[in-house]
Amino acid sequence: MEVIITSGPQEIASIGADAFCHLVDRLPGAVLGLATGSSPLTIYDEIARRCDAGEVSFAQASAFTLDEYVGLSADHPQRYRNVIAAELTDRIDIDPARVNGPDGLADDIAAACAAYEAAIAGAGGVDLQILGIGTDGHIAFNEPGSSLASRTRIKTLTAQTRADNARFFGDDPDAVPQHCLTQGLATIMSARHLLLVATGRAKSEAIHHLVEGAVSAMWPATILQHHPKVTVLVDAAAASRLALSDYYRETYRGKPAWQHI
Ligand code: F6R
């Protein structure tokens, strides 16, 4: 696991956008894994800026989102399909028909989850998956207690996550759906490169467990310690509880530029 303690949002945006842009330069038909939430937004803005400036093209790429609320109407602004369109995919030249997400309005939820797994596998798997992390250590919506071997399925959101996400629903936790469809931890682990982004002190405990804690379903993100290629992109506040922060800084400073993302 590589931990990059950045100077803040600008550096996060630049390193994160580099990861996506270098990937599609190398592999124009790359499969991108996209997350919603606040953490990736500066990266998405920088990707959109570069695409607008003609510096990069996603015309041949495809994308899969991590999760979706169950039951939000097709035109609901917080439906993750609509959120990701507004935040990224409508702002770049990716073909909207190649942007996929779990179907939170499906009549047969189990079949929709199986179909989503099959679609990801059929596309050849995700090349680069961006992730946020919940204050309780969730990734996608794999809440504490999730099976470390889980695949796409329905989950119940915790009271903590609904409180955290209430800001998108008029500050009303009761307006946040109770259920979601989410890629499982094993689904996420199948992606070839994982890029996890976190900022702010509220994330410092989760980042501490992710990087330096024991692997446990109680902190679902800790499963990433078993992945061979994970980049953790944080600011100083999110890194504030890391015991080895000096070592991570020194390692990144000493890395030759050609080895950067
Ligand atoms: C969203 C998702 C969630 C968020 C997490 C952090 O697709 O998968 O796991 O990444 O809840 O959210 P923010 O970035 O808003 O703090």
Side-chain angles (χ1 to χ4, degrees), residues 111-132:
C113 292
Y116 199 57
E117 285 284 331
I120 295 172
V126 170
D127 290 296
L128 173 62
Q129 175 67 60
I130 191 165
L131 296 166

Side-chain angles (χ1 to χ4, degrees), residues 37 67 69 80 133-144 146 155-169 172-180 203 220:
D67 40 23
Y69 291 116
Y80 279 172
I133 187 169
T135 53
D136 60 3
H138 71 232
I139 50 173
F141 278 135
N142 295 283
E143 298 283 26
S146 290
K155 286 293 286 182
T156 303
L157 297 175
T158 60
Q160 174 73 60
T161 297
R162 294 175 75 214
D164 286 347
N165 287 6
R167 67 192 191 279
F168 300 117
F169 291 84
D172 177 8
D174 291 334
V176 181
Q178 276 184 308
H179 296 102
C180 62
K203 299 292 175 72

